[in-house]
Amino acid sequence: MNASGETYTSQGGVFSQMLVSSAGYLGAMTYGAILLVLIRRAVAARVVLLGSALLILVLTTVFGLFKPLFAGTWSSLSGVPFTLVAGIALAAGLVAVARFASARVATFVVSLLAVQCVLNALLDLKNVFFLSSPFAPTVPTDALNMRVATGVPAVIWVVIWIVVGFGILTLALRMYVAARERAFDAEKDLPFEQKAET
């Protein structure tokens, strides 16, 4: 496996297994789409970067520190150092860009994050699709986890994820373009002197 998103859940019912298996694809794509919409709606890139850094710190603290510590087994602590270092480094990097970079660079970084989230999710779905085909060797994937949890074939789950993912992307792009058109229309209504200033 290339480690591109396979997840496991050791407890919980069918719903939690479905949520965990789907989150890496649909969650990443939703997050990327939200970033695209926020940037187009003129939310300051610095605010988006600081919010993303805070989200990463919270997730790192909860799932990378508290959850393993309270799990009660030493084996659950094995990934803690990497999780903490990676989470803190990512959050610090985002805060540094928000604090020290120009507005243009901050906007570029948010746009890059958005596109990366969306494209990585799509590429991972492509991999899972080929691994879930009836002709592929049986390897553990999130789609296989879904088949075990629900009885629905793995390839059907991948197709559902792809359709939902493209729906999320289409909605985000429509909102992105609509906001751009509104900004363009508002600029057309400005007097010539104000257009020259902007």
Side-chain angles (χ1 to χ4, degrees), residues 76-194:
S76 64
L77 297 176
S78 63
V80 168
F82 175 77
T83 302
L84 289 177
V85 168
I88 291 169
L90 282 170
L94 293 176
V95 169
V97 172
R99 174 71 177 90
F100 299 111
S102 67
R104 178 172 276 186
V105 170
T107 301
F108 172 78
V109 170
V110 173
S111 301
L112 180 67
L113 279 173
V115 170
Q116 275 299 117
C117 286
V118 171
L119 289 181
N120 282 344
L122 288 174
L123 289 173
D124 288 345
L125 281 172
K126 179 199 72 156
N127 292 339
V128 175
F129 178 78
F130 287 120
L131 290 172
S132 301
S133 77
F135 308 107
T138 302
V139 294
T141 64
D142 292 319
L144 186 62
N145 293 345
M146 294 289 278
R147 188 193 80 190
V148 170
T150 64
V152 176
V155 71
I156 299 297
W157 281 113
V158 179
V159 170
I160 290 170
W161 290 336
I162 290 171
V163 168
V164 172
F166 274 109
I168 292 168
L169 186 57
T170 301
L171 180 63
L173 289 176
R174 286 176 62 107
M175 294 171 75
Y176 185 88
V177 169
R180 185 174 181 176
E181 287 173 352
R182 280 196 300 274
F184 181 72
D185 290 342
E187 188 177 322
K188 277 196 320 189
D189 295 337
L190 289 175
F192 179 75
E193 297 81 14
Q194 286 182 325

Side-chain angles (χ1 to χ4, degrees), residues 5-26 141-152 157 161:
E6 183 185 0
T7 54
Y8 295 97
T9 177
S10 60
Q11 58 187 3
V14 172
F15 178 74
S16 64
Q17 291 176 22
M18 291 171 63
L19 185 65
V20 168
S21 294
S22 302
Y25 311 107
L26 301 183
T141 64
D142 292 319
L144 186 62
N145 293 345
M146 294 289 278
R147 188 193 80 190
V148 170
T150 64
V152 176
W157 281 113
W161 290 336

Side-chain angles (χ1 to χ4, degrees), residues 24-121:
Y25 311 107
L26 301 183
M29 194 169 294
T30 301
Y31 186 71
I34 289 170
L35 291 181
L36 278 175
V37 171
L38 288 176
I39 284 297
R40 182 42 63 192
R41 292 192 176 247
V43 175
R46 295 180 199 282
V47 173
V48 175
L49 289 169
L50 291 172
S52 296
L54 180 63
L55 178 64
I56 290 170
L57 274 178
V58 168
L59 292 174
T60 299
T61 304
V62 171
F63 295 105
L65 184 62
F66 293 144
K67 186 101 168 128
L69 285 176
F70 294 115
T73 62
W74 287 107
S75 64
S76 64
L77 297 176
S78 63
V80 168
F82 175 77
T83 302
L84 289 177
V85 168
I88 291 169
L90 282 170
L94 293 176
V95 169
V97 172
R99 174 71 177 90
F100 299 111
S102 67
R104 178 172 276 186
V105 170
T107 301
F108 172 78
V109 170
V110 173
S111 301
L112 180 67
L113 279 173
V115 170
Q116 275 299 117
C117 286
V118 171
L119 289 181
N120 282 344

